[in-house]
Amino acid sequence: MSTYQPVKKVTTHTLQEMKNRKEKISMLTGYDFSMARIIDEAGVDVILVGDSASNVMAGHETTLPITLEQMIYHAGSVVRAVSRSLVVVDLPFGSYQGNSKEALSSAIRIMKEAGAHAVKMEGGSEIIESVKRILTAGIPVMGHLGLTPQSIYKFGTYVVRAKEEEEAAQLMSDAKLLEEAGCFSIVLEKIPANLATKVAETVQIPIIGIGAGHGVDGQVLVVHDMLGINNEFNPRFLRKYNNLHEQMLNSFKQYISDVKAVDFPNETEQY
Ligand code: KIV
């Protein structure tokens, strides 16, 4: 008798079923093969190839400089690593805001060249035509509202969004619009927990929060942040599950010291 058990892949439908039965969804960012392999093995439901790669992988101050080609490179590395997680890829700044034809062509490149399972786009009513056109091609779309880092120069700061009534009402209306258009999920970033809960209760599709409290359907964190690799980023919403900055620093220091002392390699570490 064979004991072979095929891996049950997470799909956009799995996420909807999870919301329906009130099971929380876990999502983490991933940008490279080795890390994505571990994240997938751990059982994380969704890996987001976020344009935060621009910050944590390339060292840019904002997410704006990363290109479509660079996102495809990161996404392909993640897709090759994954056997279970759903892989969602950010459409980078400048690849979809021009017009819906350009948006569709960018989304198709991500699906075709990287083998991604879905794309994510920042914005509401202002990008709805592009969202609809991409969906028409059979490409699943995840929305992103609240703090949308691609618009950082419009906002001016990374402070909590939608605290005022007018902006909160606009966010709610955008969430409904994205749901009506056919998005399978929406990320809500850095908004008051009460508002995020209200959105999650109002729309039927899964709402994934970052800095949006626990009343939503799932959570996402940037993997480098939650592992404590960058010790200079400490927002209130971030829980650090490790202090890899310190652990890596100590490992590198120990390696230097071993090399200098001719302790590495020893007799058993050579041919
Ligand atoms: O790019 C990213 O990492 C994101 C998450 C913060 C949601 O969009």
Side-chain angles (χ1 to χ4, degrees):
M1 198 182 77
S2 165
T3 53
Y4 174 70
Q5 291 270 327
V7 176
K8 198 154 187 296
K9 288 182 184 294
V10 178
T11 67
T12 56
H13 301 279
T14 317
L15 303 184
Q16 187 61 60
E17 286 160 11
M18 289 171 80
K19 171 158 183 158
N20 297 349
R21 61 171 183 266
K22 297 188 173 8
E23 180 184 340
K24 299 284 184 185
I25 296 161
S26 58
M27 173 158 130
L28 277 178
T29 64
Y31 318 100
D32 69 280
F33 179 84
S34 303
M35 188 89 92
R37 236 183 166 176
I38 303 171
I39 298 170
D40 182 63
E41 187 184 334
V44 167
D45 300 308
V46 185
I47 300 184
L48 170 67
V49 184
D51 58 359
S52 49
S54 179
N55 310 110
V56 297
M57 300 302 287
H60 293 296
E61 215 169 284
T62 72
T63 57
L64 276 68
I66 199 159
T67 64
L68 184 58
E69 281 68 28
Q70 288 163 342
M71 288 304 294
I72 290 169
Y73 167 79
H74 287 296
S77 308
V78 168
V79 168
R80 284 190 289 279
V82 158
S83 57
R84 177 184 172 273
S85 311
L86 181 80
V87 180
V88 181
V89 181
D90 265 331
L91 282 185
F93 176 70
S95 74
Y96 63 99
Q97 291 90 346
N99 58 61
S100 64
K101 196 169 165 208
E102 184 193 22
L104 176 60
S105 122
S106 302
I108 287 177
R109 283 198 63 194
I110 285 181
M111 302 299 282
K112 229 185 206 325
E113 296 176 38
H117 308 144
V119 298
K120 177 164 83 58
M121 300 162 74
E122 296 184 6
S125 55
E126 71 279 17
I127 59 153
I128 206 66
E129 199 190 316
S130 297
V131 168
K132 285 181 181 164
R133 191 151 184 181
I134 293 172
L135 285 163
T136 312
I139 301 171
V141 177
M142 177 181 264
H144 184 154
L145 299 170
L147 176 65
T148 46
Q150 291 179 11
S151 308
I152 189 58
Y153 289 113
K154 185 175 96 183
F155 296 148
T157 71
Y158 287 97
V159 294
V160 179
R161 305 300 312 174
K163 277 168 105 173
E164 307 304 328
E165 220 168 277
E166 198 181 328
E167 198 183 337
Q170 182 62 50
L171 187 142
M172 178 62 89
S173 141
D174 281 340
K176 289 182 188 164
L177 202 62
L178 291 170
E179 177 180 45
E180 268 166 37
C183 286
F184 71 93
S185 173
I186 301 170
V187 164
L188 292 183
E189 180 165 353
K190 223 170 171 188
I191 63 166
N194 285 347
L195 173 62
T197 305
K198 215 161 110 194
V199 174
E201 286 170 357
T202 304
V203 302
Q204 306 305 309
I205 56 174
I207 299 296
I208 315 285
I210 174 163
H214 63 227
V216 290
D217 307 304
Q219 299 294 329
V220 56
L221 284 176
V222 169
V223 73
H224 288 65
D225 298 342
M226 61 86 77
L227 290 176
I229 291 178
N230 173 6
N231 63 356
E232 285 151 27
F233 185 62
N234 296 297
R236 188 207 291 205
F237 69 78
L238 175 62
R239 184 178 294 182
K240 292 196 180 181
Y241 288 83
N242 213 314
N243 184 351
L244 281 198
H245 181 93
E246 195 179 313
Q247 289 190 34
M248 289 169 79
L249 192 66
N250 289 340
S251 303
F252 298 145
K253 284 183 175 170
Q254 185 62 52
Y255 169 72
I256 295 167
S257 145
D258 289 353
V259 169
K260 304 258 180 216
V262 200
D263 177 68
F264 174 80
N266 64 23
E267 290 299 315
T268 65
E269 290 162 333
Q270 64 188 20
Y271 300 98

